[in-house]
Structure formats: C-alpha cells, structure tokens
Short mmCIF file of all heavy atoms in Angstrom, two decimals:
data_model
loop_
_atom_site.label_atom_id
_atom_site.label_comp_id
_atom_site.label_asym_id
_atom_site.label_seq_id
_atom_site.Cartn_x
_atom_site.Cartn_y
_atom_site.Cartn_z
N TYR A 1 -11.18 2.18 -6.23
CA TYR A 1 -11.06 2.02 -7.66
C TYR A 1 -10.48 0.66 -7.99
O TYR A 1 -9.85 0.01 -7.14
CB TYR A 1 -10.19 3.13 -8.28
CG TYR A 1 -8.80 3.22 -7.71
CD1 TYR A 1 -7.71 2.65 -8.36
CD2 TYR A 1 -8.56 3.90 -6.51
CE1 TYR A 1 -6.44 2.74 -7.84
CE2 TYR A 1 -7.29 3.98 -5.98
CZ TYR A 1 -6.23 3.41 -6.66
OH TYR A 1 -4.96 3.49 -6.14
N ARG A 2 -10.69 0.24 -9.22
CA ARG A 2 -10.24 -1.07 -9.65
C ARG A 2 -8.92 -0.99 -10.40
O ARG A 2 -8.66 -0.05 -11.14
CB ARG A 2 -11.29 -1.72 -10.55
CG ARG A 2 -12.59 -2.05 -9.84
CD ARG A 2 -13.55 -2.81 -10.74
NE ARG A 2 -14.79 -3.13 -10.03
CZ ARG A 2 -14.95 -4.17 -9.25
NH1 ARG A 2 -13.96 -5.04 -9.07
NH2 ARG A 2 -16.12 -4.39 -8.65
N ASP A 3 -8.10 -1.99 -10.20
CA ASP A 3 -6.91 -2.23 -11.00
C ASP A 3 -7.08 -3.63 -11.58
O ASP A 3 -6.60 -4.61 -11.03
CB ASP A 3 -5.65 -2.12 -10.15
CG ASP A 3 -4.38 -2.25 -10.97
OD1 ASP A 3 -4.46 -2.63 -12.15
OD2 ASP A 3 -3.30 -1.96 -10.42
N ASN A 4 -7.79 -3.70 -12.68
CA ASN A 4 -8.16 -5.00 -13.22
C ASN A 4 -6.96 -5.79 -13.75
O ASN A 4 -7.01 -7.02 -13.78
CB ASN A 4 -9.20 -4.83 -14.33
CG ASN A 4 -10.54 -4.37 -13.79
OD1 ASN A 4 -10.88 -4.64 -12.65
ND2 ASN A 4 -11.30 -3.67 -14.62
N ALA A 5 -5.90 -5.09 -14.17
CA ALA A 5 -4.70 -5.79 -14.61
C ALA A 5 -4.09 -6.62 -13.49
O ALA A 5 -3.43 -7.62 -13.75
CB ALA A 5 -3.67 -4.80 -15.15
N LYS A 6 -4.30 -6.19 -12.26
CA LYS A 6 -3.81 -6.92 -11.10
C LYS A 6 -4.90 -7.71 -10.40
O LYS A 6 -4.66 -8.27 -9.33
CB LYS A 6 -3.15 -5.96 -10.11
CG LYS A 6 -1.94 -5.26 -10.67
CD LYS A 6 -1.33 -4.32 -9.65
CE LYS A 6 -0.09 -3.64 -10.21
NZ LYS A 6 0.51 -2.70 -9.23
N ASN A 7 -6.10 -7.74 -11.00
CA ASN A 7 -7.24 -8.42 -10.39
C ASN A 7 -7.46 -7.90 -8.98
O ASN A 7 -7.60 -8.67 -8.02
CB ASN A 7 -7.02 -9.94 -10.38
CG ASN A 7 -8.32 -10.72 -10.24
OD1 ASN A 7 -9.40 -10.22 -10.53
ND2 ASN A 7 -8.20 -11.97 -9.78
N ALA A 8 -7.50 -6.58 -8.87
CA ALA A 8 -7.49 -5.94 -7.56
C ALA A 8 -8.47 -4.78 -7.48
O ALA A 8 -8.89 -4.21 -8.49
CB ALA A 8 -6.08 -5.44 -7.23
N VAL A 9 -8.82 -4.45 -6.25
CA VAL A 9 -9.52 -3.22 -5.92
C VAL A 9 -8.71 -2.52 -4.85
O VAL A 9 -8.36 -3.12 -3.83
CB VAL A 9 -10.95 -3.49 -5.43
CG1 VAL A 9 -11.57 -2.23 -4.84
CG2 VAL A 9 -11.82 -3.99 -6.58
N ASN A 10 -8.41 -1.25 -5.09
CA ASN A 10 -7.63 -0.47 -4.15
C ASN A 10 -8.51 0.50 -3.38
O ASN A 10 -9.60 0.88 -3.82
CB ASN A 10 -6.54 0.31 -4.88
CG ASN A 10 -5.51 -0.58 -5.54
OD1 ASN A 10 -5.32 -1.72 -5.14
ND2 ASN A 10 -4.83 -0.05 -6.55
N LEU A 11 -8.01 0.91 -2.24
CA LEU A 11 -8.66 1.93 -1.43
C LEU A 11 -7.60 2.93 -1.01
O LEU A 11 -6.69 2.59 -0.25
CB LEU A 11 -9.32 1.31 -0.20
CG LEU A 11 -10.19 2.25 0.64
CD1 LEU A 11 -11.51 2.52 -0.08
CD2 LEU A 11 -10.46 1.66 2.02
N ASP A 12 -7.70 4.15 -1.53
CA ASP A 12 -6.80 5.22 -1.14
C ASP A 12 -7.39 5.95 0.06
O ASP A 12 -8.53 6.42 0.02
CB ASP A 12 -6.60 6.22 -2.28
CG ASP A 12 -5.68 5.71 -3.36
OD1 ASP A 12 -5.08 4.63 -3.18
OD2 ASP A 12 -5.54 6.40 -4.39
N LEU A 13 -6.61 6.03 1.12
CA LEU A 13 -7.00 6.70 2.34
C LEU A 13 -6.15 7.95 2.50
O LEU A 13 -4.92 7.86 2.53
CB LEU A 13 -6.82 5.79 3.56
CG LEU A 13 -7.53 4.44 3.53
CD1 LEU A 13 -7.08 3.58 4.69
CD2 LEU A 13 -9.03 4.64 3.57
N ASP A 14 -6.79 9.10 2.61
CA ASP A 14 -6.10 10.37 2.76
C ASP A 14 -6.55 11.06 4.04
O ASP A 14 -7.64 10.81 4.55
CB ASP A 14 -6.38 11.29 1.57
CG ASP A 14 -5.87 10.74 0.26
OD1 ASP A 14 -4.74 10.23 0.23
OD2 ASP A 14 -6.62 10.82 -0.74
N ASP A 15 -5.69 11.95 4.52
CA ASP A 15 -5.99 12.73 5.72
C ASP A 15 -6.49 11.81 6.84
O ASP A 15 -7.54 12.03 7.44
CB ASP A 15 -7.03 13.81 5.40
CG ASP A 15 -7.21 14.81 6.53
OD1 ASP A 15 -6.26 14.97 7.34
OD2 ASP A 15 -8.27 15.44 6.60
N LEU A 16 -5.72 10.80 7.12
CA LEU A 16 -6.14 9.80 8.10
C LEU A 16 -6.21 10.38 9.49
O LEU A 16 -5.38 11.21 9.89
CB LEU A 16 -5.18 8.62 8.07
CG LEU A 16 -5.40 7.67 6.88
CD1 LEU A 16 -4.20 6.77 6.67
CD2 LEU A 16 -6.65 6.83 7.11
N LYS A 17 -7.19 9.93 10.22
CA LYS A 17 -7.45 10.37 11.58
C LYS A 17 -7.31 9.19 12.52
O LYS A 17 -7.46 8.04 12.11
CB LYS A 17 -8.85 10.98 11.68
CG LYS A 17 -9.13 12.07 10.66
CD LYS A 17 -10.55 12.57 10.75
CE LYS A 17 -10.85 13.55 9.64
NZ LYS A 17 -9.95 14.73 9.67
N PRO A 18 -7.03 9.46 13.79
CA PRO A 18 -6.94 8.34 14.74
C PRO A 18 -8.18 7.45 14.74
O PRO A 18 -8.07 6.24 14.93
CB PRO A 18 -6.75 9.04 16.08
CG PRO A 18 -6.04 10.31 15.74
CD PRO A 18 -6.63 10.73 14.42
N ASP A 19 -9.34 8.03 14.49
CA ASP A 19 -10.57 7.25 14.46
C ASP A 19 -10.66 6.33 13.26
O ASP A 19 -11.53 5.45 13.22
CB ASP A 19 -11.78 8.19 14.48
CG ASP A 19 -13.09 7.47 14.70
OD1 ASP A 19 -13.20 6.74 15.71
OD2 ASP A 19 -14.01 7.61 13.87
N ASP A 20 -9.78 6.50 12.29
CA ASP A 20 -9.75 5.61 11.13
C ASP A 20 -9.00 4.32 11.39
O ASP A 20 -9.01 3.42 10.55
CB ASP A 20 -9.11 6.31 9.92
CG ASP A 20 -9.93 7.48 9.42
OD1 ASP A 20 -11.17 7.36 9.34
OD2 ASP A 20 -9.31 8.52 9.08
N ALA A 21 -8.31 4.22 12.49
CA ALA A 21 -7.48 3.06 12.77
C ALA A 21 -8.32 1.81 12.95
O ALA A 21 -9.45 1.84 13.45
CB ALA A 21 -6.63 3.31 14.01
N GLY A 22 -7.76 0.70 12.54
CA GLY A 22 -8.43 -0.58 12.68
C GLY A 22 -7.92 -1.56 11.65
O GLY A 22 -6.98 -1.27 10.90
N VAL A 23 -8.52 -2.71 11.62
CA VAL A 23 -8.20 -3.70 10.61
C VAL A 23 -9.14 -3.51 9.43
O VAL A 23 -10.37 -3.49 9.61
CB VAL A 23 -8.32 -5.13 11.17
CG1 VAL A 23 -7.99 -6.15 10.09
CG2 VAL A 23 -7.40 -5.31 12.37
N TYR A 24 -8.57 -3.36 8.26
CA TYR A 24 -9.35 -3.14 7.05
C TYR A 24 -9.44 -4.43 6.25
O TYR A 24 -8.43 -5.10 6.01
CB TYR A 24 -8.72 -2.03 6.21
CG TYR A 24 -9.03 -0.65 6.72
CD1 TYR A 24 -8.48 -0.20 7.92
CD2 TYR A 24 -9.87 0.21 6.02
CE1 TYR A 24 -8.78 1.05 8.41
CE2 TYR A 24 -10.16 1.47 6.49
CZ TYR A 24 -9.61 1.89 7.69
OH TYR A 24 -9.90 3.14 8.17
N TYR A 25 -10.65 -4.76 5.85
CA TYR A 25 -10.94 -5.97 5.10
C TYR A 25 -11.60 -5.63 3.78
O TYR A 25 -12.35 -4.66 3.68
CB TYR A 25 -11.91 -6.87 5.87
CG TYR A 25 -11.47 -7.30 7.24
CD1 TYR A 25 -11.71 -6.50 8.35
CD2 TYR A 25 -10.83 -8.52 7.43
CE1 TYR A 25 -11.33 -6.90 9.61
CE2 TYR A 25 -10.44 -8.92 8.69
CZ TYR A 25 -10.70 -8.11 9.78
OH TYR A 25 -10.32 -8.51 11.03
N CYS A 26 -11.35 -6.45 2.77
CA CYS A 26 -12.14 -6.38 1.55
C CYS A 26 -12.98 -7.64 1.44
O CYS A 26 -12.71 -8.66 2.07
CB CYS A 26 -11.27 -6.19 0.31
SG CYS A 26 -10.12 -7.53 -0.04
N ALA A 27 -14.03 -7.54 0.62
CA ALA A 27 -14.94 -8.66 0.45
C ALA A 27 -15.74 -8.48 -0.83
O ALA A 27 -15.95 -7.36 -1.29
CB ALA A 27 -15.90 -8.77 1.65
N THR A 28 -16.18 -9.58 -1.38
CA THR A 28 -17.01 -9.55 -2.58
C THR A 28 -18.48 -9.45 -2.23
O THR A 28 -18.92 -9.93 -1.18
CB THR A 28 -16.79 -10.80 -3.44
OG1 THR A 28 -17.05 -11.97 -2.67
CG2 THR A 28 -15.36 -10.86 -3.97
N VAL A 29 -19.23 -8.83 -3.13
CA VAL A 29 -20.67 -8.73 -3.03
C VAL A 29 -21.28 -9.86 -3.85
O VAL A 29 -20.92 -10.07 -5.00
CB VAL A 29 -21.17 -7.37 -3.55
CG1 VAL A 29 -22.69 -7.30 -3.52
CG2 VAL A 29 -20.56 -6.23 -2.74
N MET A 30 -22.20 -10.57 -3.26
CA MET A 30 -22.89 -11.66 -3.93
C MET A 30 -24.34 -11.28 -4.21
O MET A 30 -24.96 -10.55 -3.44
CB MET A 30 -22.84 -12.92 -3.07
CG MET A 30 -21.43 -13.46 -2.88
SD MET A 30 -20.70 -14.03 -4.43
CE MET A 30 -21.68 -15.50 -4.72
N PRO A 31 -24.93 -11.81 -5.29
CA PRO A 31 -24.28 -12.64 -6.30
C PRO A 31 -23.49 -11.82 -7.31
O PRO A 31 -23.39 -10.60 -7.18
CB PRO A 31 -25.48 -13.33 -6.97
CG PRO A 31 -26.56 -12.30 -6.90
CD PRO A 31 -26.36 -11.62 -5.56
N ARG A 32 -22.93 -12.48 -8.28
CA ARG A 32 -22.15 -11.84 -9.32
C ARG A 32 -22.89 -10.66 -9.94
O ARG A 32 -24.07 -10.77 -10.29
CB ARG A 32 -21.80 -12.87 -10.38
CG ARG A 32 -20.86 -12.40 -11.47
CD ARG A 32 -20.55 -13.56 -12.41
NE ARG A 32 -19.83 -14.61 -11.71
CZ ARG A 32 -19.71 -15.86 -12.15
NH1 ARG A 32 -20.28 -16.21 -13.29
NH2 ARG A 32 -19.03 -16.75 -11.44
N ARG A 33 -22.22 -9.54 -10.04
CA ARG A 33 -22.69 -8.30 -10.65
C ARG A 33 -23.83 -7.62 -9.89
O ARG A 33 -24.45 -6.70 -10.41
CB ARG A 33 -23.09 -8.52 -12.11
CG ARG A 33 -21.92 -8.94 -12.97
CD ARG A 33 -22.22 -8.83 -14.45
NE ARG A 33 -21.05 -9.18 -15.23
CZ ARG A 33 -20.04 -8.36 -15.51
NH1 ARG A 33 -20.06 -7.11 -15.07
NH2 ARG A 33 -19.02 -8.78 -16.23
N ARG A 34 -24.06 -8.02 -8.68
CA ARG A 34 -25.04 -7.32 -7.86
C ARG A 34 -24.55 -5.91 -7.56
O ARG A 34 -23.40 -5.72 -7.17
CB ARG A 34 -25.28 -8.08 -6.56
CG ARG A 34 -26.30 -7.42 -5.65
CD ARG A 34 -26.44 -8.19 -4.36
NE ARG A 34 -27.50 -7.64 -3.53
CZ ARG A 34 -28.35 -8.37 -2.82
NH1 ARG A 34 -28.28 -9.69 -2.84
NH2 ARG A 34 -29.27 -7.77 -2.09
N PRO A 35 -25.41 -4.91 -7.70
CA PRO A 35 -24.99 -3.56 -7.34
C PRO A 35 -24.68 -3.46 -5.85
O PRO A 35 -25.20 -4.22 -5.03
CB PRO A 35 -26.21 -2.70 -7.70
CG PRO A 35 -26.99 -3.50 -8.69
CD PRO A 35 -26.78 -4.93 -8.29
N CYS A 36 -23.85 -2.50 -5.51
CA CYS A 36 -23.54 -2.28 -4.10
C CYS A 36 -24.81 -1.85 -3.37
O CYS A 36 -25.44 -0.87 -3.75
CB CYS A 36 -22.48 -1.21 -3.94
SG CYS A 36 -20.83 -1.70 -4.48
N PRO A 37 -25.16 -2.56 -2.31
CA PRO A 37 -26.30 -2.13 -1.51
C PRO A 37 -25.90 -1.08 -0.50
O PRO A 37 -24.76 -0.63 -0.46
CB PRO A 37 -26.73 -3.44 -0.83
CG PRO A 37 -25.44 -4.17 -0.65
CD PRO A 37 -24.58 -3.81 -1.83
N SER A 38 -26.86 -0.70 0.33
CA SER A 38 -26.60 0.29 1.37
C SER A 38 -25.44 -0.15 2.26
O SER A 38 -25.41 -1.27 2.76
CB SER A 38 -27.86 0.49 2.20
OG SER A 38 -27.59 1.24 3.37
N LEU A 39 -24.48 0.75 2.46
CA LEU A 39 -23.36 0.43 3.34
C LEU A 39 -23.83 0.26 4.78
O LEU A 39 -23.33 -0.60 5.50
CB LEU A 39 -22.30 1.53 3.28
CG LEU A 39 -21.64 1.82 1.95
CD1 LEU A 39 -20.59 2.91 2.13
CD2 LEU A 39 -21.02 0.57 1.36
N GLU A 40 -24.77 1.07 5.17
CA GLU A 40 -25.18 1.12 6.57
C GLU A 40 -26.02 -0.06 7.01
O GLU A 40 -25.96 -0.47 8.16
CB GLU A 40 -25.95 2.42 6.84
CG GLU A 40 -25.10 3.69 6.77
CD GLU A 40 -24.83 4.13 5.34
OE1 GLU A 40 -25.51 3.62 4.42
OE2 GLU A 40 -23.95 4.98 5.15
N SER A 41 -26.80 -0.63 6.10
CA SER A 41 -27.77 -1.63 6.51
C SER A 41 -27.68 -2.96 5.80
O SER A 41 -28.10 -3.98 6.35
CB SER A 41 -29.18 -1.07 6.36
OG SER A 41 -29.46 -0.73 5.02
N ASP A 42 -27.17 -3.00 4.58
CA ASP A 42 -27.31 -4.20 3.76
C ASP A 42 -26.01 -4.86 3.31
O ASP A 42 -26.00 -6.08 3.08
CB ASP A 42 -28.13 -3.88 2.51
CG ASP A 42 -29.55 -3.45 2.82
OD1 ASP A 42 -30.12 -3.97 3.80
OD2 ASP A 42 -30.09 -2.61 2.08
N LEU A 43 -24.93 -4.12 3.16
CA LEU A 43 -23.75 -4.68 2.53
C LEU A 43 -23.20 -5.89 3.29
O LEU A 43 -22.82 -6.90 2.68
CB LEU A 43 -22.66 -3.61 2.38
CG LEU A 43 -21.37 -4.06 1.68
CD1 LEU A 43 -21.67 -4.66 0.32
CD2 LEU A 43 -20.42 -2.88 1.54
N LEU A 44 -23.16 -5.81 4.58
CA LEU A 44 -22.62 -6.92 5.37
C LEU A 44 -23.42 -8.20 5.24
O LEU A 44 -22.92 -9.28 5.58
CB LEU A 44 -22.52 -6.52 6.84
CG LEU A 44 -21.28 -5.72 7.24
CD1 LEU A 44 -21.45 -5.14 8.63
CD2 LEU A 44 -20.04 -6.61 7.19
#
C-alpha cells in the first residue's frame, strides 16, 4: 500500500516463514504510470 504523505510504498509481511528470508528491495516500474506487469515474467 501507499503512504503518499511520506512519498512511500509499504509492504506488510505477516505470518513470516523461514523461506521468506532474504534481502527485500523496492523499485519503480517504467515508464511513468505503467500498470504492473506480470510478476513472474515481466516486472524485472
């Protein structure tokens, strides 16, 4: 979800599992206002 007052996007993680461990990164989607593409094949 977005917190626009802080110019931020948050990610709430619940019921965390050992397999969830790792380094978490955020990134912008280009170009401006492009819809989110497929997570599995296109977002990266």
Side-chain angles (χ1 to χ4, degrees):
Y1 57 99
R2 294 185 179 276
D3 184 349
N4 291 333
K6 297 180 179 179
N7 200 22
V9 169
N10 295 337
L11 188 74
D12 284 354
L13 304 172
D14 297 316
D15 190 24
L16 282 163
K17 307 177 186 301
D19 190 55
D20 294 318
V23 180
Y24 282 69
Y25 302 86
C26 63
T28 56
V29 177
M30 295 295 289
R32 186 177 296 162
R33 297 195 177 277
R34 180 183 185 140
C36 290
S38 169
L39 300 182
E40 291 78 14
S41 61
D42 297 326
L43 182 55
L44 278 167

